[in-house]
Amino acid sequence: MDIKERIIEKASRLFQQYGIKNVSMDEIASSLGISKRTIYENFKDKEDILLSALLRFKQERDKHFIALLGQSPNVVDVFIKIIEEHQHMPICNVRFFEDIQKYYPRAAKLIREHVETNNNYLRDFLRQGIKEGYIREDLDVNVAAFLVEETTYTYIRASYLEKPPFSFQDLFYTMMINFVRGILTGKGIRIIDAYLEQQRTGK
Amino acid sequence: MDIKERIIEKASRLFQQYGIKNVSMDEIASSLGISKRTIYENFKDKEDILLSALLRFKQERDKHFIALLGQSPNVVDVFIKIIEEHQHMPICNVRFFEDIQKYYPRAAKLIREHVETNNNYLRDFLRQGIKEGYIREDLDVNVAAFLVEETTYTYIRASYLEKPPFSFQDLFYTMMINFVRGILTGKGIRIIDAYLEQQRTGK
């Protein structure tokens, strides 16, 4: 991996863990064992690293999603795989999103663009599921795609709860399983319920 | 209806329609054909009317919910009736919620208390549904109750969309139908899907 890639990867991880404001260029440099000057030879400023990180994340996500589509026998299976993957991902610090909204307008704009592209993918994906008979044909795909977007905000608001009566993992899991079961037809629900049963009994 | 009740009812309607800041004591008085003095004989200020309106709304909602529970053969039926009722309700102006958060701390506190009580009712109601076999026994009721609370914020954020590709009625309907289908067992889904089929075919 070249130095530019290494900086992006390390910075992403630090940003997600501590937020963006909280991470200095010095810390990024020292945690990579390089000089700050090397960072500035590759990036104009912190927002520049952030923008590269967001683009890289988007590219990887798209690539991964396309691979998932190729591997999965049906849309329900794609949802299940995404839910499973998220359960093992580290939780992103809510400050990451807050800092972007407050201090990094170019990053906020980029995220809005990404959300819009994702929304288009998602709508196509839902339509495919409807055609295949796994998703209810009376589903309003525009509303459904908006509800998926909303899950990020739900996560942000949960992080403001003084004493949340659940973990973020539980929140994500229940929210996603519920969403998916809500949009599926009987044929689709049979698949996800078989999966849930398997999880519960550990078989 | 005595004058106090009439003031509360008229003010509630105006607040929901235009927000709270936008409605003056003069407007409340003139739309009731009474003097501003009469209002001040009954209420200290606008927030005082607002607090009375919130309490009244809460009482009516609780009374109505208890009546629904008594009339309905099962929890699925209660959800369907609530969804149906909301479809015919006027949409509340998003400023109503925003004004409360920004300018009326006592009202915001009261709403938080009401949300908490509702949350407790809702959890009991979900547990009852689990016991009756209509709601999945592996459902995390704490997360589910939080997701219901969240629907208000989803509505608020939808109102910020520049060109929403759906109406608020569609948003509410899809969001609620999806939520309910998501938490139900096969036995519960058969009831709601029969209802949806009936709606679709108009029979």
Side-chain angles (χ1 to χ4, degrees):
Chain A
M1 209 184 327
D2 74 0
I3 187 65
K4 209 165 168 163
E5 281 299 302
R6 279 180 59 215
I7 295 169
I8 295 172
E9 187 175 296
K10 176 59 86 176
S12 303
R13 209 168 303 164
L14 293 171
F15 293 160
Q16 283 179 46
Q17 206 170 348
Y18 305 107
I20 303 152
K21 271 276 160 190
N22 267 341
V23 175
S24 68
M25 289 297 237
D26 277 313
E27 281 164 316
I28 299 171
S30 73
S31 69
L32 279 164
I34 61 175
S35 70
K36 209 159 75 168
R37 195 178 141 183
T38 310
I39 297 187
Y40 281 112
E41 279 165 6
N42 287 282
F43 298 95
K44 221 181 83 224
D45 52 23
K46 204 157 63 174
E47 187 162 19
D48 197 17
I49 308 182
L50 175 62
L51 291 170
S52 302
L54 290 173
L55 279 172
R56 188 169 175 270
F57 176 72
K58 162 84 174 143
Q59 280 161 1
E60 283 180 6
R61 204 166 107 145
D62 287 355
K63 216 171 77 186
H64 180 63
F65 186 63
I66 289 164
L68 264 189
L69 285 184
Q71 290 159 20
S72 308
N74 57 59
V75 294
V76 189
D77 208 63
V78 176
F79 277 122
I80 291 173
K81 282 194 184 121
I82 292 174
I83 293 170
E84 286 208 317
E85 285 167 3
H86 269 81
Q87 280 191 283
H88 306 296
M89 271 185 204
I91 297 286
C92 184
N93 192 321
V94 71
R95 287 199 187 152
F96 179 79
F97 303 105
E98 289 174 346
D99 286 353
I100 288 179
Q101 294 311 319
K102 278 193 206 157
Y103 308 112
Y104 303 100
R106 282 190 299 149
K109 186 166 169 278
L110 188 64
I111 287 187
R112 275 200 302 279
E113 285 162 15
H114 289 176
V115 165
E116 201 158 319
T117 334
N118 287 342
N119 217 313
N120 285 331
Y121 284 149
L122 183 57
R123 278 190 284 236
D124 285 346
F125 179 68
L126 293 172
R127 285 191 198 104
Q128 187 197 325
I130 292 174
K131 228 162 70 186
E132 291 173 2
Y134 294 106
I135 294 177
R136 289 155 44 210
E137 57 180 350
D138 61 336
L139 181 73
D140 185 323
V141 293
N142 292 322
V143 175
F146 178 72
L147 293 177
V148 171
E149 240 179 88
E150 278 298 292
T151 57
T152 307
Y153 296 96
T154 300
Y155 160 71
I156 293 176
R157 255 195 325 278
S159 71
Y160 292 133
L161 290 177
E162 242 177 85
K163 290 182 194 163
F166 45 74
S167 70
F168 284 121
Q169 265 89 1
D170 290 344
L171 173 63
F172 180 81
Y173 187 77
T174 300
M175 184 160 67
M176 291 312 291
I177 292 287
N178 250 27
F179 173 78
V180 175
R181 285 184 89 260
I183 66 172
L184 295 179
T185 58
K187 174 176 154 185
I189 287 183
R190 274 193 295 280
I191 300 174
I192 196 158
D193 281 0
Y195 166 77
L196 291 174
E197 182 60 22
Q198 198 187 26
Q199 293 298 103
R200 230 159 44 90
T201 57
K203 275 174 210 156
Chain B
M1 212 186 323
D2 74 0
I3 188 67
K4 209 164 168 165
E5 282 299 302
R6 280 180 58 213
I7 296 169
I8 295 172
E9 188 177 295
K10 175 60 85 177
S12 304
R13 209 169 301 166
L14 293 171
F15 293 161
Q16 285 180 44
Q17 205 171 349
Y18 305 106
I20 303 152
K21 271 276 160 193
N22 267 340
V23 175
S24 67
M25 290 296 240
D26 277 313
E27 281 164 316
I28 300 170
S30 73
S31 69
L32 279 164
I34 61 174
S35 71
K36 210 159 74 168
R37 196 178 141 185
T38 309
I39 298 187
Y40 281 111
E41 278 165 7
N42 287 281
F43 297 95
K44 221 182 83 225
D45 53 22
K46 203 156 66 173
E47 187 161 19
D48 196 17
I49 307 181
L50 176 61
L51 291 170
S52 302
L54 291 172
L55 280 172
R56 189 169 174 268
F57 176 73
K58 163 84 174 142
Q59 281 161 0
E60 282 178 5
R61 204 166 107 145
D62 289 354
K63 216 170 79 184
H64 180 63
F65 186 63
I66 289 164
L68 264 188
L69 286 183
Q71 290 159 20
S72 308
N74 57 61
V75 295
V76 189
D77 208 63
V78 176
F79 277 123
I80 292 174
K81 281 193 184 123
I82 291 174
I83 293 170
E84 286 208 315
E85 284 167 4
H86 270 80
Q87 281 191 281
H88 305 296
M89 271 186 206
I91 298 287
C92 184
N93 192 321
V94 71
R95 287 198 188 153
F96 179 79
F97 303 106
E98 290 173 346
D99 286 352
I100 287 178
Q101 294 312 319
K102 278 193 208 157
Y103 308 112
Y104 303 100
R106 282 190 297 149
K109 186 166 170 277
L110 188 64
I111 287 186
R112 276 199 302 278
E113 285 162 14
H114 289 176
V115 165
E116 202 159 318
T117 334
N118 287 342
N119 217 312
N120 284 332
Y121 284 149
L122 183 57
R123 279 191 283 235
D124 286 344
F125 179 68
L126 294 172
R127 285 191 198 102
Q128 187 198 324
I130 292 174
K131 229 163 68 188
E132 292 173 1
Y134 294 107
I135 294 178
R136 291 157 43 212
E137 56 179 352
D138 60 336
L139 181 74
D140 185 324
V141 292
N142 291 323
V143 175
F146 177 72
L147 293 176
V148 171
E149 239 179 271
E150 278 299 292
T151 57
T152 307
Y153 296 97
T154 300
Y155 160 72
I156 292 177
R157 257 195 323 281
S159 71
Y160 292 133
L161 291 176
E162 241 177 86
K163 288 182 196 164
F166 45 74
S167 69
F168 284 121
Q169 265 88 4
D170 290 345
L171 172 63
F172 180 81
Y173 187 77
T174 300
M175 181 160 69
M176 291 311 292
I177 293 286
N178 251 27
F179 173 78
V180 176
R181 285 184 89 258
I183 65 172
L184 294 180
T185 58
K187 174 175 153 186
I189 287 183
R190 274 193 295 280
I191 300 175
I192 196 159
D193 281 1
Y195 166 76
L196 291 173
E197 181 61 22
Q198 197 187 26
Q199 291 298 103
R200 231 160 43 89
T201 56
K203 276 174 209 155

